[in-house]
């Protein structure tokens, strides 16, 4: 995917009080960043922040961290947070490969993966955020009863993710191939920018919730 360059994006991100420039420093100490003890939920590949911003506003009792590696995308989330100033939301510009350098064992209660890059070429399978390799990383940071929530409209990626979860020994708590027509799973669903676009095109949205067995 070719991303449009946004002049001044890096400067805007670095200047925000809601972005964390050296997240490794806070490994095991994220409660200090928020100044309170609360469950910690993170979104990997947060895009422009529509999903996580809405979630943080709805659940002030939970601490949220959004992770995005592209400055030209993250800057939109930063600008939105600069306006809203939600006290329970922080943002990080980083690659998900380094997630175990940023969060300590058992520190994260929930991980959201929304419309992640499918990396369609087989040689890039390990880069998919639901690959066995990434599930191993999540095992290192998730709390004992923590879980991962994954949404996508990409059917091949969803099938791959189901197989990866089984291979990694994870347990499926819920699965649907048509989220918006699943009364139980769609309750309280917050749509991302991509979800709105793809569902408007008639694409069914798949979702799974999984945890360590």
């Amino acid at each position: 995917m070719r991303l449009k360059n946004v002049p001044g994006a890096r400067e805007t991100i670095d200047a925000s009080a809601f972005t964390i420039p050296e997240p490794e420093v806070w490994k095991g100490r994220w409660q200090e960043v928020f100044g309170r003890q609360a469950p910690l939920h993170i979104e990997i590949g947060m895009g422009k922040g529509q999903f996580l911003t809405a979630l943080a506003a709805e659940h002030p009792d939970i601490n949220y961290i959004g992770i995005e590696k592209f400055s030209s995308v993250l800057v939109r989330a930063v600008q939105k947070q600069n306006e809203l100033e939600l006290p329970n939301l922080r943002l990080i510009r980083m690659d998900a490969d380094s997630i175990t350098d940023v969060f300590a064992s058992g520190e994260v209660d929930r991980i959201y993966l929304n419309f992640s890059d499918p990396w369609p070429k087989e040689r890039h399978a390990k880069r998919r955020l639901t690959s066995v390799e990434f599930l191993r990383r999540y095992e290192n940071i998730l709390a004992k009863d923590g879980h991962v929530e994954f949404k996508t409209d990409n059917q091949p990626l969803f099938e791959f993710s189901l197989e990866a979860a089984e291979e990694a020994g994870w347990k499926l708590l819920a699965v649907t191939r048509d989220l918006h027509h699943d009364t139980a799973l769609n309750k309280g669903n917050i749509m991302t920018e991509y979800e709105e676009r793809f569902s408007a095109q008639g694409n069914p949205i798949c979702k799974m919730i999984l945890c360590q067995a």
Side-chain angles (χ1 to χ4, degrees):
M1 178 175 62
R2 193 178 187 86
L3 296 174
K4 182 179 179 181
N5 180 54
V6 178
R10 185 69 65 87
E11 290 76 12
T12 299
I13 292 170
D14 292 344
S16 175
F18 298 98
T19 57
I20 308 298
E22 297 181 4
E24 298 86 355
V25 173
W26 298 102
K27 181 176 180 177
R29 300 167 48 218
W30 283 103
Q31 302 293 346
E32 296 178 30
V33 171
F34 293 95
R36 64 174 186 172
Q37 294 292 318
L40 179 61
H41 295 187
I42 69 174
E43 182 183 10
I44 301 175
M46 71 174 299
K48 297 177 182 178
Q50 176 172 305
F51 172 83
L52 204 62
T53 298
L55 206 57
E58 286 189 11
H59 301 280
D61 56 323
I62 296 173
N63 294 332
Y64 292 93
I65 295 177
I67 297 170
E68 173 59 51
K69 68 178 179 178
F70 296 112
S71 297
S72 57
V73 179
L74 179 60
V75 68
R76 303 307 184 195
V78 170
Q79 291 169 335
K80 188 178 301 182
Q81 172 62 349
N82 284 346
E83 295 176 3
L84 296 174
E85 298 187 344
L86 296 170
N88 61 329
L89 176 61
R90 297 293 186 276
L91 310 170
I92 302 174
R93 184 181 59 78
M94 61 172 277
D95 193 299
D97 285 348
S98 305
I99 196 165
T100 55
D101 296 328
V102 172
F103 299 101
S105 176
E107 192 170 23
V108 177
D109 295 281
R110 190 172 304 178
I111 298 173
Y112 297 100
L113 307 172
N114 293 313
F115 300 87
S116 309
D117 190 333
W119 290 101
K121 295 182 179 179
E122 191 57 36
R123 68 175 184 271
H124 295 151
K126 291 182 179 181
R127 299 185 185 183
R128 298 168 190 161
L129 293 180
T130 50
S131 67
V132 171
E133 289 76 15
F134 269 100
L135 290 176
R136 298 298 186 218
R137 292 183 175 99
Y138 305 151
E139 287 176 352
N140 287 327
I141 66 173
L142 273 176
K144 186 176 181 180
D145 58 348
H147 63 261
V148 174
E149 296 192 13
F150 171 57
K151 290 195 289 187
T152 184
D153 73 316
N154 188 298
Q155 294 289 341
L157 177 60
F158 195 68
E159 290 297 333
F160 168 87
S161 303
L162 287 170
E163 294 172 5
E166 181 177 3
E167 181 181 344
W170 282 55
K171 178 182 178 181
L172 290 172
L173 300 177
V175 178
T176 181
R177 297 177 185 277
D178 193 358
L179 174 62
H180 295 171
H181 291 93
D182 187 311
T183 304
L185 282 181
N186 196 47
K187 184 178 181 180
N189 180 54
I190 294 175
M191 290 202 286
T192 73
E193 298 94 334
Y194 282 123
E195 187 171 353
E196 289 180 346
R197 183 192 310 171
F198 295 146
S199 60
Q201 295 171 354
N203 297 348
I205 306 302
C206 301
K207 180 175 181 175
M208 69 173 71
I209 302 175
L210 58 160
C211 69
Q212 302 174 66

